[in-house]
Amino acid sequence: MATTTEKPIVKASAGGDAGINAGMIWFNGKIVPQEQAQVSVLTHALHYGTSVFEGIRAYPTKRGPAVFRLQEHTQRLFDSALIMRMPVPYSQDEINQAILETVRANGWGGCYIRPLIWRGGQTLGVNPMPCPVQAMVATWEWGAYLGEDAINKGARLVTSAWVRLPANAMPGKAKAGGNYVNSVLARMDAVSAGFDEALLLDANGFVAEGTGENIFFLKNGVLHVIEHSVNLEGITRDSVIQIAKEMGLTVKEVMATRDQLYSAEEIFMTGTAAEVTPVSEIDYRPIGSGEAGPVALELRQRYLKAVTGEDPHYERWLTYVNRCQPSPHPSPRRRGSRGGASAAQANLDRSVGGGVGGGRRAAGWRVCALSVAQLRAVSGADRAALQRVRRGRPDREQERHLQAAAHRRRHLGRQLPHRHRRLPLRPRPQPHHSRRHPLRRAPARPRRLAHPVLAPHWSS
Ligand code: PPE
């Protein structure tokens, strides 16, 4: 009989996740404590890997935590769901909001963020289509992915005997749970053999990627990055390419074989979890000096500056989690003209506010992470909106109303002298007849809101 030498490293608790402190989890539209975010053992995804997920990081910045490239991650999550034919019962904006809300609810400075969408339990059998699609966002603190040693000394890699999934077998562009069985097998073997990470080749012997990272190598001073073939289109990969080009490096996308890597001057890996991790050895061959390479370390430094908001050039990649924090970097557009939004703010409006972020500069405040619907709710002025936001779904009529209000604010706000835009709003005089007789109503008009950011300008 086959036996296993593996010992369980985590005792089963109620949810079997005692090793992870995820605090509060956004679970199908509600923020709940970790122990309440549970699913049935008959969940389809548990049996067949029918899930899609993302790995995102939030970093501490001078303006509080900021999520790195939120919009791109959510886009890839929805692309993965599309590939897997999973109708997501939330909009991209709702998932963005859920992510920000979860980071806020836990009070993290920086954290790893794991949105997951999966097929729940309805029927068991391969066809997932009768099963409901469910979603959650968990966050926790996750340090160096392959350990601090891998960063300081460089990671030791071994080529895996497991081949990266061919494109006609599995959808490598989807971050689908089932795909990771391939990564899991390769990582277990590498770690058991004493290495930090596995290098996966494709079915033709070309370098594909690590089990959770993309691969770069430096040769003759040119930075080479593995072309998109059967690997994941990494968002960190894209960020590092942009940073490297702006550093003055020539970057080439190539297919490469493992022996081309052996003679590289430097190798490093990129990924949300791994960030930029230097590689010092592959298959017992030292890479370059056999230590973490200087170009890798320089790129790592620049990447860390970008993600923590230390480099204003990359602020466009950040979505600040908390609202109303002054920017440490005056945006170029603001210098000459009042009312211009920084690139990060524009990014935020695109990513979290949709088209309803128009009042963001009213009253001199910056709306950093909440949609207008949430701000209305937070202001306490609109209890119904609060309910809707809590349920995670402002209805269509509400959205239309909010968009019209945002438009009015934008439009009127521009015409008013700047000092008026900052003034608190005066209450509009009530017509007498509406007070005199309860049945003789004044013509309907929107209510005045208590929050200065939200208060519309029609009454001033
Ligand atoms: N390839 C694979 C297979 C992969 O899983 C990742 C991310 C990447 C490349 C890099 O992609 P990006 O994060 O967009 O730069 N791996 C995620 C999961 C890690 C895990 O152990 O779980 C991650 O880094 O979050």
Side-chain angles (χ1 to χ4, degrees), residues 164-167 172-173 201-203 208-209 227-232:
R164 198 52 160 169
L165 300 157
K173 300 302 171 213
L201 307 181
D202 70 14
E209 57 187 336
E227 235 172 47
H228 286 313
S229 51
V230 290
N231 45 18
L232 191 73

Side-chain angles (χ1 to χ4, degrees), residues 370-447:
L370 295 182
S371 71
V372 173
Q374 279 182 311
L375 280 165
R376 284 170 63 95
V378 172
S379 77
D382 188 337
R383 297 223 163 266
L386 178 61
Q387 296 293 319
R388 274 189 289 271
V389 170
R390 282 220 177 114
R391 283 202 306 269
R393 292 168 159 233
D395 62 27
R396 284 239 175 95
E397 199 191 324
Q398 173 76 358
E399 281 297 357
R400 266 200 299 277
H401 171 70
L402 293 170
Q403 280 182 11
H407 175 77
R408 268 195 298 277
R409 274 197 303 279
R410 241 193 333 261
H411 187 64
L412 290 174
R414 257 191 232 123
Q415 291 172 2
L416 287 170
H418 189 71
R419 63 179 192 284
H420 285 165
R421 272 185 253 156
R422 288 172 174 264
L423 283 178
L425 297 161
R426 271 170 286 131
R428 198 171 167 168
Q430 293 286 310
H432 285 302
H433 63 267
S434 67
R435 284 196 227 131
R436 231 182 311 144
H437 199 291
L439 295 178
R440 287 181 63 193
R441 290 220 175 134
R445 70 188 153 74
R447 272 182 297 154

Side-chain angles (χ1 to χ4, degrees), residues 26 50 52 55 59 116 308 344 354 368 370 426 428 434 436 447:
W26 185 91
T50 43
V52 295
Y59 287 90
L116 177 80
T308 51
C368 301
L370 295 182
R426 271 170 286 131
R428 198 171 167 168
S434 67
R436 231 182 311 144
R447 272 182 297 154

Side-chain angles (χ1 to χ4, degrees), residues 53-57 73 76 112-114 140 142 145 164 172 175 179-180 183 187 200 208-215 230-239 270-275 303:
F53 70 95
E54 264 308 312
I56 313 174
R57 273 191 194 265
H73 280 286
R76 190 170 66 186
Y112 187 79
I113 304 166
R114 170 58 53 84
W140 66 91
W142 202 355
Y145 186 54
R164 198 52 160 169
K175 230 171 139 58
N179 284 354
Y180 279 80
S183 282
R187 177 77 72 89
L200 284 150
E209 57 187 336
T211 66
E213 311 89 354
N214 290 115
I215 307 280
V230 290
N231 45 18
L232 191 73
E233 292 175 327
I235 293 164
T236 321
R237 174 190 185 276
D238 175 71
S239 310
T270 63
T272 298
E275 300 167 319
Y303 177 76

Side-chain angles (χ1 to χ4, degrees), residues 360-371:
R360 61 189 178 267
R361 299 202 58 79
W365 289 99
R366 293 164 68 82
V367 179
C368 301
L370 295 182
S371 71

Side-chain angles (χ1 to χ4, degrees), residues 145-338:
Y145 186 54
L146 299 175
E148 288 293 336
D149 261 10
I151 293 164
N152 301 327
K153 297 186 192 156
R156 296 178 59 242
L157 267 56
V158 65
T159 302
S160 183
W162 297 101
V163 164
R164 198 52 160 169
L165 300 157
N168 54 359
M170 290 292 262
K173 300 302 171 213
K175 230 171 139 58
N179 284 354
Y180 279 80
V181 172
N182 182 247
S183 282
V184 163
L185 289 167
R187 177 77 72 89
M188 281 196 297
D189 288 0
V191 170
S192 302
F195 293 89
D196 298 308
E197 176 57 304
L199 175 72
L200 284 150
L201 307 181
D202 70 14
N204 296 315
F206 288 98
V207 174
E209 57 187 336
T211 66
E213 311 89 354
N214 290 115
I215 307 280
F216 285 73
F217 63 100
L218 191 77
K219 209 159 200 174
N220 302 323
V222 173
L223 188 60
H224 296 75
V225 56
I226 301 299
E227 235 172 47
H228 286 313
S229 51
V230 290
N231 45 18
L232 191 73
E233 292 175 327
I235 293 164
T236 321
R237 174 190 185 276
D238 175 71
S239 310
V240 169
I241 290 174
Q242 292 191 46
I243 294 171
K245 282 183 179 165
E246 273 153 37
M247 219 172 110
L249 285 169
T250 306
V251 184
K252 264 193 193 170
E253 296 197 45
V254 292
M255 297 293 283
T257 51
R258 65 203 274 189
D259 47 337
Q260 277 179 296
L261 294 193
Y262 295 159
S263 57
E265 287 135 28
E266 284 187 37
I267 299 181
F268 61 89
M269 301 182 288
T270 63
T272 298
E275 300 167 319
V276 179
T277 301
V279 173
S280 58
E281 177 188 320
I282 298 185
D283 301 342
Y284 304 101
R285 289 148 178 96
I287 303 302
S289 61
E291 290 170 357
V295 173
L297 290 177
E298 175 66 25
L299 281 164
R300 179 178 168 79
Q301 279 316 311
R302 288 180 186 238
Y303 177 76
L304 292 180
K305 275 190 165 181
V307 297
T308 51
E310 294 289 315
D311 187 341
H313 186 65
Y314 299 110
E315 239 203 312
R316 64 181 189 275
W317 286 338
L318 306 184
T319 299
Y320 291 97
V321 170
N322 299 318
R323 61 209 166 93
C324 305
Q325 304 271 351
S327 167
H329 313 294
S331 86
R333 280 182 60 197
R334 273 172 64 201
R335 255 176 241 138
S337 64
R338 286 167 194 259

Side-chain angles (χ1 to χ4, degrees), residues 12-185:
S13 68
D17 55 4
I20 308 169
N21 172 20
M24 303 299 282
I25 293 179
W26 185 91
F27 186 63
N28 291 322
K30 286 197 191 106
I31 295 269
V32 299
Q34 178 175 351
E35 51 286 359
Q36 284 174 29
Q38 296 199 17
V39 294
S40 155
V41 290
L42 302 181
T43 296
H44 197 276
L46 202 55
H47 295 244
Y48 305 109
T50 43
S51 64
V52 295
F53 70 95
E54 264 308 312
I56 313 174
R57 273 191 194 265
Y59 287 90
T61 77
K62 289 194 180 111
R63 296 167 65 186
V67 180
F68 187 64
R69 303 197 71 172
L70 175 62
Q71 185 61 27
E72 289 84 346
H73 280 286
T74 314
Q75 184 61 53
R76 190 170 66 186
L77 180 69
F78 276 69
D79 289 348
S80 299
L82 182 94
I83 292 168
M84 293 301 297
R85 296 181 63 186
M86 295 167 80
V88 186
Y90 302 96
S91 68
Q92 259 174 260
D93 187 43
E94 284 169 330
I95 295 295
N96 284 332
Q97 292 300 338
I99 288 168
L100 297 172
E101 214 180 307
T102 314
V103 179
R104 267 196 298 273
N106 286 288
W108 302 124
C111 62
Y112 187 79
I113 304 166
R114 170 58 53 84
L116 177 80
I117 298 173
W118 71 96
R119 289 281 187 178
Q122 179 69 35
T123 60
L124 278 178
V126 170
N127 177 15
M129 282 180 314
C131 300
V133 175
Q134 307 193 330
M136 74 98 198
V137 179
T139 54
W140 66 91
E141 286 177 318
W142 202 355
Y145 186 54
L146 299 175
E148 288 293 336
D149 261 10
I151 293 164
N152 301 327
K153 297 186 192 156
R156 296 178 59 242
L157 267 56
V158 65
T159 302
S160 183
W162 297 101
V163 164
R164 198 52 160 169
L165 300 157
N168 54 359
M170 290 292 262
K173 300 302 171 213
K175 230 171 139 58
N179 284 354
Y180 279 80
V181 172
N182 182 247
S183 282
V184 163
L185 289 167

